[in-house]
Structure formats: structure tokens, C-alpha cells
Amino acid sequence: MSEYIGEQPSGESILDRLQDMLFPKDIDIEGTGYKRTVIDRSIEKYLDQHFDEYIDEYGLIRELDLRIYEEKYNGVVEDIKVVKEFQKDVNAEIAVLKRRLDKIETHIL
């Protein structure tokens, strides 16, 4: 007979240790007051209910936010193009006005 038969650490049977490995006791998620087991599916429900809080707390950006920012960026780029075109037109008009002023000044003097 083996010398190890009947010896069990800390009074637990092998089945108790196996159960603890497969199905651990409740896990306390620090700071939330929420306890769950590894197999407990309610964590997904909890996260779904508090998803917006996580987004705000950690400053996360959603895909929808990225699309909105991209649309705003594209709008700003288009506005800049319009301003540059306007600037070119104004500079051309200023050049024409300077030439006319030069002609007027040469006729007066």
C-alpha cells in the first residue's frame, strides 16, 4: 500500500480541490461591490448596464464618435479649401486694383 493513501492536505478531498479549481468561490471585483463566479454570466449584463459609465470614466471613443469626428474633419478641410479659393480671388482683385491705382497715379502726376 502507498504511503500517500489517506493523506490529504488541509483536510480537503481531491474532489473538493478539483471543484475549487473548476468553480472558484465568489470573486470580489475591487471597488464595485460586485461579486461573481467565473461561470456567472451576469458580469456581461453588469457591463452592458454600466457601459456608458466605463466610456466616460476612461475617456474611451466609440466607432460612432470616430465617424462623427471624421465628418467634422472633412467639413473643416472643405471650408479651408473654400477660404483658400476666396483668398486667391481677393488677392487677384487687389492686384487689379493696385494696377488701376498705379495708372491713376501716373496720369495725375
Side-chain angles (χ1 to χ4, degrees):
M1 208 170 195
S2 171
E3 60 186 71
Y4 297 107
I5 292 178
E7 289 184 25
Q8 296 163 357
S10 68
E12 289 183 342
S13 72
I14 189 80
L15 293 175
D16 290 338
R17 290 185 16 219
L18 186 60
Q19 180 180 355
D20 287 343
M21 283 187 346
L22 295 176
F23 307 105
K25 305 285 189 258
D26 286 345
I27 299 171
D28 184 17
I29 299 174
E30 191 174 320
T32 63
Y34 181 77
K35 291 185 178 183
R36 72 172 182 92
T37 60
V38 172
I39 298 179
D40 187 0
R41 296 264 181 206
S42 61
I43 186 69
E44 286 83 12
K45 183 178 177 183
Y46 175 83
L47 291 174
D48 287 343
Q49 290 172 348
H50 299 282
F51 187 70
D52 289 331
E53 295 170 23
Y54 285 106
I55 296 284
D56 293 338
E57 183 175 344
Y58 295 107
L60 303 175
I61 298 175
R62 298 179 180 150
E63 185 177 346
L64 180 60
D65 294 331
L66 289 176
R67 289 182 188 161
I68 291 169
Y69 293 147
E70 185 177 11
E71 288 177 15
K72 287 181 179 181
Y73 171 79
N74 291 336
V76 168
V77 168
E78 287 300 316
D79 290 344
I80 289 172
K81 286 179 184 177
V82 169
V83 168
K84 285 184 177 182
E85 288 297 319
F86 175 76
Q87 210 171 19
K88 286 179 185 177
D89 293 342
V90 168
N91 286 338
E93 286 184 38
I94 289 173
V96 168
L97 290 174
K98 280 184 180 180
R99 276 187 256 131
R100 286 183 180 172
L101 183 62
D102 287 343
K103 282 184 182 179
I104 293 172
E105 286 177 348
T106 54
H107 285 341
I108 294 177
L109 295 174

